[in-house]
Amino acid sequence: MKLRFLPLAVAVVACHKTASFTPSATDVGFPSSSATGAAVYSGDRRAPSFPDAWPYKAGRAAVFGQHAMVASDAPLASQAGVEILEHGGNAVDAAVAVGFALAVVFPEAGNIGGGGYMVIRMADGRTAALDYREVAPLAASRDMYLDEQGNLTNKSVVGPLASGVPGAIAGLTTALAKYGTMSLADVMAPAIRYAEQGFVVEGPFARSLTSNARLIGQFGGAGVFLPDGKPLAVGTRLVQPELAQTLHRVAEQGAPGFYTGKTAQLIADEMHRDGGIITTEDLARYKPVWREPIKSSYRGYTLLTMPPSSSGGITVTETLNILEGFVPVPPFGSAEYAHVLGSAYQRAFIDRNEKLADPAFAPVPMKQLTDKAYAQKLRATIGHDRATPTSSVAKTMREGMETTHYSVADAQGNAVATTTTLNALYGSGVYVRGGGFFLNDEMDDFAAAPGKPNMFGLVQGEANAIQPGKRMLSAMSPTIVLDRDGGLLLVVGSRGGPRIITSTSQVILNVLDQHMILSDAVSAPRIHHQALPDSLAYERNGLAPAVLDSLRQMGYGLEPIGGVGLINAIMRVRGGYEGMSDPRSMGRPVGY
Ligand code: GLY
């Protein structure tokens, strides 16, 4: 494919001020958005070729910002982040503002009743990972989701028993206190405004409410989101006074405004009404955990990513370590590339499924799984042109497919990658009456029936069994990539349960190995392999028919699926940042 070096690109860059951090040797090219709206391939960026039937064409324009960028699943939340940045806040201030705003304008996954993970890289070189994953309530027990015959019920998915103790408020306030520069009240102001003054329901939100009306209608949120039994229509202004009051209590009192007092009592009351087990004591005891990010290298680039209790960082790292030995990496879209990438995922997921859990409750072999020599041994088991069956695998996952990721980068080069979730869309469906928010169904991320097939016929591992106070294993993979000079290059993450790992890593690989511009890296078709089921999943129309034939001949079971993750990413380019929300999603970046 011919590269297009347009003179126009020079003009585009010439009118942007250079960002205040030092440019580095990685040649990520000019902003891809030219005055004509077409992508510009410059530096070492190359135009990829996608299959003819793939709906997202290469060469889309990303959003450009010369100072800073926020990419999230809700335009109003991205705007909230930019509002904070424009008022002098740093990337952490903005990320916290986005987190609160998502809880108001994107209630399907944005939340204060769930939890998440944040990876931070400050321009001065400090790095941190914050684990604010939910924990199992004190009254939780190993077999709480089994019926008298030992069969799995759906109580880990729907209703009050499905919720872990929420970590979101503790996480956001803790991150702000350590790395932010603004007051909690200031960064919460946009969210409180959206809740008090309302916002106009747009198509994606209305459709999401329609698809989830059955779940929402069973619990206290019905009156808010399904007035007269019907989902809010496009154009309706949604005002959430109870949520505004809950947010005010946090803005005024900090985390105790949620974990003690009125809000804690409202949560406990909601639980008691319907057989839930979270108590005010559970809430008062909740603590987020600062952890060291996993720091790994890939072909000279540095990855900073999330350690357990998420499996995301280890699994991304192990996959990339396996791939690093393939030189040159096969071309994008080829059967060889799908084979080596799928095989790397398969091996990393076998480890993920068997060995990872909350490190406070189970030994996690982090050093081994992120070791390059170990990856080399796994690489040696990948046949030249044959699929390897997944064998003797003790566990796979059934994480909810819905989560939300947002990325923030500021003018100093500070960066924050955050992934947060209620698990399923609208979580357990339980809505805290008087509090104005949904609670998660994160308990389903535990192995609810260790050693026995779950409702999907899968066998789950003992390490991730339910224990009081334990964090359930996650796949969330917020990641920051540094270039070969140690400068900020990418801020990236995804939603989609186990597909978070595969989608996040493929965007990174598309930029680092395939030299794509950000918009192509995010739009490109993706594959997924999670060891069990033992098949190579691919996005429908994402692999050319001849490639599918070759993979079949190699022995792959092939499964076309609707999508692999939804990305929100930022890349540093010459003169500023590009932001890209997945064309598969409703997200939109905002930069300035
Ligand atoms: N609930 C999805 C995850 O944590 O991976």
Side-chain angles (χ1 to χ4, degrees):
M1 189 69 57
K2 227 169 134 204
L3 302 186
R4 291 189 286 155
F5 292 95
L6 301 181
L8 187 58
V10 179
V12 168
V13 166
C15 67
H16 295 311
K17 278 188 231 147
T18 307
S20 60
F21 52 98
T22 331
S24 69
T26 304
D27 193 352
V28 290
F30 297 105
S32 71
S33 174
S34 73
T36 61
V40 175
Y41 297 96
S42 60
D44 64 357
R45 301 296 97 189
R46 297 175 200 152
S49 165
F50 299 157
D52 292 342
W54 182 241
Y56 311 113
K57 301 300 166 211
R60 288 166 172 251
V63 171
F64 177 75
Q66 65 187 90
H67 302 291
M69 182 66 63
V70 179
S72 85
D73 276 333
L76 282 174
S78 299
Q79 188 55 52
V82 166
E83 183 180 321
I84 294 300
L85 290 162
E86 283 181 327
H87 281 86
N90 70 11
V92 178
D93 296 315
V96 173
V98 174
F100 280 111
L102 283 168
V104 180
V105 302
F106 193 63
E108 68 173 46
N111 67 80
I112 56 174
Y117 299 95
M118 187 180 279
V119 173
I120 298 171
R121 196 259 180 181
M122 303 302 283
D124 63 11
R126 284 176 296 158
T127 61
L130 185 59
D131 178 337
Y132 52 102
R133 181 70 158 165
E134 301 90 328
V135 299
L138 293 169
S141 58
R142 187 180 184 281
D143 297 334
M144 63 190 276
Y145 299 116
L146 304 185
D147 65 16
E148 280 165 12
Q149 285 73 47
N151 299 318
L152 203 54
T153 65
N154 77 345
K155 289 186 177 153
S156 65
V157 186
V158 176
L161 215 49
S163 299
V165 183
I169 295 280
L172 294 175
T173 54
T174 298
L176 184 75
K178 183 147 185 200
Y179 289 99
T181 63
M182 292 174 76
S183 73
L184 187 56
D186 283 344
V187 299
M188 290 182 71
I192 291 175
R193 197 175 66 234
Y194 293 148
E196 271 174 351
Q197 297 175 12
F199 65 96
V200 176
V201 172
E202 293 188 357
F205 184 26
R207 284 193 291 279
S208 162
L209 290 174
T210 303
S211 319
N212 293 281
R214 249 184 79 199
L215 176 71
I216 296 168
Q218 293 174 53
F219 302 101
V224 178
F225 299 104
L226 313 172
D228 306 320
K230 294 210 184 71
L232 293 170
V234 172
T236 314
R237 177 167 286 273
L238 173 61
V239 180
Q240 301 174 79
E242 290 179 345
L243 178 56
Q245 285 309 310
T246 299
L247 295 175
H248 270 298
R249 284 192 287 278
V250 175
E252 284 153 21
Q253 302 163 39
F258 182 87
Y259 291 95
T260 61
K262 180 164 181 184
T263 309
Q265 195 57 55
L266 288 169
I267 296 172
D269 291 348
E270 191 64 50
M271 290 281 119
H272 293 152
R273 250 182 227 129
D274 225 357
I277 56 175
I278 297 176
T279 62
T280 51
E281 187 188 351
D282 281 308
L283 291 158
R285 287 164 69 124
Y286 184 85
K287 293 265 176 304
V289 182
W290 284 109
R291 304 188 188 279
E292 275 300 307
I294 294 176
K295 185 173 180 186
S296 60
S297 68
Y298 183 72
R299 303 190 204 280
Y301 297 87
T302 300
L303 267 71
L304 300 166
T305 184
M306 194 68 216
S309 61
S310 181
S311 66
I314 287 187
T315 314
V316 167
T317 300
E318 190 174 335
T319 302
L320 266 59
N321 282 348
I322 295 170
L323 271 184
E324 201 173 25
F326 291 99
V327 184
V329 74
F332 182 83
S334 65
E336 293 74 20
Y337 187 53
H339 168 56
V340 298
L341 184 56
S343 300
Y345 285 138
Q346 180 189 32
R347 282 148 183 79
F349 267 88
I350 288 171
D351 280 334
R352 184 264 183 215
N353 299 343
E354 283 181 358
K355 297 173 185 163
L356 300 186
D358 181 347
F361 286 77
V364 172
M366 191 145 104
K367 207 161 175 296
Q368 178 205 8
L369 300 187
T370 57
D371 180 56
K372 295 214 187 254
Y374 174 68
Q376 203 278 327
K377 283 192 197 138
L378 294 180
R379 188 162 54 243
T381 68
I382 299 176
H384 176 58
D385 56 5
R386 289 299 300 164
T388 336
T390 300
S391 57
S392 319
V393 181
K395 186 258 175 201
T396 190
M397 71 302 298
R398 56 187 185 110
E399 289 98 331
M401 303 304 286
E402 310 304 341
T403 291
T404 187
H405 174 86
Y406 53 97
S407 297
V408 182
D410 69 18
Q412 285 69 45
N414 302 309
V416 181
T418 307
T419 315
T420 180
T421 189
L422 290 167
N423 200 16
L425 289 183
Y426 304 96
S428 61
V430 174
Y431 184 81
V432 178
R433 277 163 275 192
F437 57 94
F438 288 99
L439 286 172
N440 67 83
D441 63 338
E442 220 66 69
M443 292 295 283
D444 193 57
D445 276 354
F446 279 118
K452 288 188 185 173
N454 67 14
M455 68 167 77
F456 298 97
L458 304 170
V459 181
Q460 303 208 43
E462 190 62 48
N464 189 32
I466 301 170
Q467 289 176 265
K470 185 175 178 180
R471 287 164 151 78
M472 54 297 285
L473 188 63
S474 169
M476 291 189 266
S477 314
T479 301
I480 295 172
V481 181
L482 307 181
D483 66 21
R484 289 177 169 136
D485 293 337
L488 178 63
L489 177 60
L490 269 178
V491 191
V492 59
S494 185
R495 71 193 284 186
R499 298 175 196 173
I500 290 173
I501 293 169
T502 44
S503 51
T504 301
S505 53
Q506 279 167 84
V507 171
I508 294 169
L509 291 166
N510 288 346
V511 170
L512 303 189
D513 277 348
Q514 306 292 344
H515 299 270
M516 293 185 201
I517 55 173
L518 184 65
S519 64
D520 290 347
V522 174
S523 304
R526 302 193 270 261
I527 63 164
H528 177 75
H529 202 314
Q530 59 177 46
L532 282 182
D534 189 359
S535 58
L536 184 66
Y538 65 99
E539 289 184 306
R540 204 164 278 110
N541 298 319
L543 290 175
V547 170
L548 292 172
D549 283 346
S550 300
L551 289 167
R552 249 178 238 113
Q553 279 168 23
M554 292 166 131
Y556 280 100
L558 295 167
E559 189 197 350
I561 56 176
V564 177
L566 294 175
I567 296 281
N568 280 299
I570 296 172
M571 183 155 95
R572 186 179 53 74
V573 293
R574 283 187 237 162
Y577 296 109
E578 285 186 347
M580 185 71 190
S581 291
D582 212 305
R584 301 156 180 83
S585 82
M586 67 300 280
R588 202 184 310 148
V590 180
Y592 82 100

